[in-house]
Structure formats: C-alpha cells, structure tokens
C-alpha cells in the first residue's frame, strides 16, 4: 500500500526479480482491460482518467476472477500491488483467503510526504510495451523515451495530469487512509519509510519480510 507515486510498482518489481514472486497490480490489470476494451476496461477508464477509485464491487470482481484463474500458477507466492485500497476490499480479500486457502503474510505501507509524490509522478515515464517505469531524474532510461528493458516507447500516463493527481491524492486520504488504520488496529501493518533511495526502501521492505 501507499499513496500514488509512493513506489509500490517499483518495489514490487524488485521483489519479483529477487524472489520470483508474481506482481498483481490492479492498476496494470485495469490499464490492460482498457486497452482490450473489455467490460472492466469500459467502466474503469472513466474513473481512472479523473483520478477516482474504480467502485469496490467491480474491482473485487476483477481481482477475484484473476486469482481464480491464475492462483495455481503462483508457486513462490504473490504481491498485491494497489489492492486492497478500501476496507471493503480488505474484507473481501479476507474471505478469499478462506475460500482459496492462501495467507497474506504482511500489509506493507510505503509512507511518504505529499510534496515528494508530485515530483515522482510528474517525472515518471512508463513503457507502453512492458509496463516498466522510469523517472527522468531518479531513474532515467539510457536513451530518452526508450525502455531499457524491451526497447518500447515511454509515455506519461493519462492520470498524471495535475488535476487527476490532485484527485488521486484526495481520494487516497478519504478512502485508503482508513484501510491503513484498519490494518494498524489488526496489528498486521508494516510501515516502511518510502522517502529514501529505491535501494534503501527495498532493504527496509526485505527487513520487514525477513521472518516470512
Ligand atoms: P495504480 O496504477 O496502482 O496507481 P497508483 O496507486 O496511483 O500508484 P502509481 O502507479 O501512480 O504509483 P506507485 O506507487 O506504483 O509508484 P511508482 O513505483 O510507479 O492505479 C491507477 C488507478 O487504477 C487508480 O487511481 C484507480 O483509479 C484504479 N485502481 C487501481 N487499484 C484499484 C483498487 N484496488 N480499487 C479501486 N481502483 C483502483 O513510482 C513513481 C515514480 O517515482 C517512478 O517514476 C519511479 O521511478 C519513482 N520512484 C519510485 N521510488 C522512488 C524512490 N525511492 N526515490 C525516487 N524516485 C522513486
């Protein structure tokens, strides 16, 4: 968990590389659905473009379908990147743990001040082909506009406009902050300082997950 631009995707990819986990990013699933213009994509497009969360029942249905289809392939475990984002989603996830028989080991939250997020989001560049992310200052690609990993074109996401970012940050405070409190009350919240170098954030996450 963490606000928009906190580094969730960046850290999830590092965990995938090092531990062979699978990253399940709801943002990526929605963007793929929009590209395919399937039923999830048509609805999600509107909410994402303006910076709102996609409604819970819709999001839950998409993640449930995905887990049902792919869970048996995830031999080393998986990371949910950007899910749950509301208490309703968290409760649904708890019911899936019982239904599918998996267990979420930790709820990691990247803590970071709002002023840092704006700079991260405005400088981010995403690969159209493989979804890898770069930053014009903090993680520049070797060749401007070209993905180091697959050679695809780098672009700025449509929800990175100033207006959409403002809405995303306000939405986070209103709808996701209560989820952080929910996990804190349950005793499963692991806060990590996200306002450090990417490598130091990664080390801090590894420390938190060490006993798992
Ligand atoms: P999603 O794609 O998940 O967007 P987000 O949560 O707003 O998060 P971001 O992807 O923008 O940021 P990030 O934390 O992954 O940061 P990143 O690693 O890229 O979701 C998009 C939309 O889909 C939502 O707004 C919503 O509408 C919908 N949606 C998704 N899930 C949903 C759900 N569960 N329920 C309902 N709706 C849902 O890093 C950002 C930049 O900073 C990069 O350029 C990176 O290189 C750089 N960076 C990263 N770490 C550091 C560091 N330590 N130092 C310097 N730079 C860094």
């Amino acid at each position: 968990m963490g606000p928009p631009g906190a580094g969730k995707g960046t850290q999830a990819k590092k965990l995938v590389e090092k531990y062979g986990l699978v990253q399940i990013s709801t943002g990526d699933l929605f963007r793929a659905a929009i590209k395919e213009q399937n039923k999830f994509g048509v609805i999600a497009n509107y909410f994402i473009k303006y910076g709102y969360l996609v409604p819970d029942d819709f999001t839950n249905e998409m993640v449930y379908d995905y887990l049902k289809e792919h869970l048996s392939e995830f031999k080393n475990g998986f990371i949910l990147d950007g899910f749950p984002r509301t208490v309703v989603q968290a409760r649904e996830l708890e019911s899936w743990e019982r239904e599918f028989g998996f267990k979420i080991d930790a709820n990691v939250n990247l803590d970071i001040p709002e002023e840092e997020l704006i700079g991260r989001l405005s400088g981010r560049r995403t690969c159209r082909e493989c979804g890898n992310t770069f930053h014009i200052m903090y993680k520049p690609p070797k060749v401007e506009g070209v993905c180091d990993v697959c050679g695809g074109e780098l672009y700025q996401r449509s929800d990175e406009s100033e207006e959409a970012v403002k809405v995303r940050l306000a939405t986070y405070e209103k709808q996701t902050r209560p989820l952080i409190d929910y996990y804190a009350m349950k005793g499963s919240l692991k806060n990590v300082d996200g306002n450090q170098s990417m490598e130091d954030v990664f080390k801090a996450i590894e420390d938190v997950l060490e006993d798992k």
Side-chain angles (χ1 to χ4, degrees):
M1 298 178 292
K8 301 181 293 294
T10 301
Q11 296 301 327
K13 285 194 171 56
K14 283 174 161 294
L15 288 165
V16 167
E17 257 172 46
K18 184 154 176 189
Y19 296 102
L21 303 172
V22 172
Q23 174 191 10
I24 305 172
S25 154
T26 34
D28 286 349
L29 289 179
F30 279 131
R31 281 183 287 276
I34 291 169
K35 219 170 170 180
E36 276 176 30
Q37 295 188 313
N38 67 24
K39 73 166 181 177
F40 295 115
V42 173
I43 303 262
N45 192 23
Y46 170 83
F47 291 96
I48 291 182
K49 192 159 75 183
Y50 294 106
Y52 298 104
L53 291 188
V54 181
D56 284 331
D57 50 352
F58 216 67
T59 304
N60 288 342
E61 187 186 337
M62 180 183 72
V63 181
Y64 179 87
D65 287 357
Y66 185 84
L67 284 175
K68 202 167 180 188
E69 192 180 338
H70 296 286
L71 196 60
S72 61
E73 301 158 23
F74 304 157
K75 304 292 177 217
N76 295 339
F78 59 90
I79 308 160
L80 287 166
D81 161 10
F83 183 92
R85 252 176 234 228
T86 65
V87 173
V88 171
Q89 292 178 12
R91 295 220 167 101
E92 189 72 5
L93 179 60
E94 284 158 19
S95 79
W96 300 340
E97 286 186 88
R98 292 189 293 275
E99 180 179 339
F100 293 120
F102 61 78
K103 184 176 175 303
I104 300 295
D105 289 314
N107 300 299
V108 180
N109 178 44
L110 297 180
D111 226 351
I112 182 160
E114 192 171 312
E115 48 290 4
E116 176 71 19
L117 299 172
I118 311 277
R120 286 197 187 178
L121 289 172
S122 59
R124 175 169 56 191
R125 299 293 181 270
T126 305
C127 177
R128 253 186 226 292
E129 303 303 323
C130 69
N132 263 296
T133 53
F134 298 84
H135 191 280
I136 51 173
M137 274 174 65
Y138 306 128
K139 191 188 167 192
K142 290 189 188 104
V143 178
E144 198 187 321
V146 180
C147 175
D148 289 354
V149 181
C150 74
E153 183 199 356
L154 300 182
Y155 78 111
Q156 265 194 293
R157 276 169 36 182
S158 63
D159 61 355
E160 279 163 348
S161 71
E162 206 182 316
E163 274 316 298
V165 167
K166 272 190 204 154
V167 176
R168 283 163 68 197
L169 292 171
T171 303
Y172 174 81
E173 284 305 323
K174 193 166 165 225
Q175 290 181 268
T176 307
R177 186 70 70 187
L179 175 67
I180 311 288
D181 300 338
Y182 175 78
Y183 282 136
M185 264 168 47
K186 290 186 109 190
S188 62
L189 184 70
K190 305 285 183 192
N191 269 315
V192 164
D193 178 7
N195 198 15
Q196 336 174 47
S197 72
M198 292 176 203
E199 292 68 30
D200 287 342
V201 176
F202 188 61
K203 272 190 219 127
I205 294 175
E206 285 189 299
D207 286 347
V208 157
L209 297 179
E210 205 169 39
D211 62 332
K212 308 288 175 194

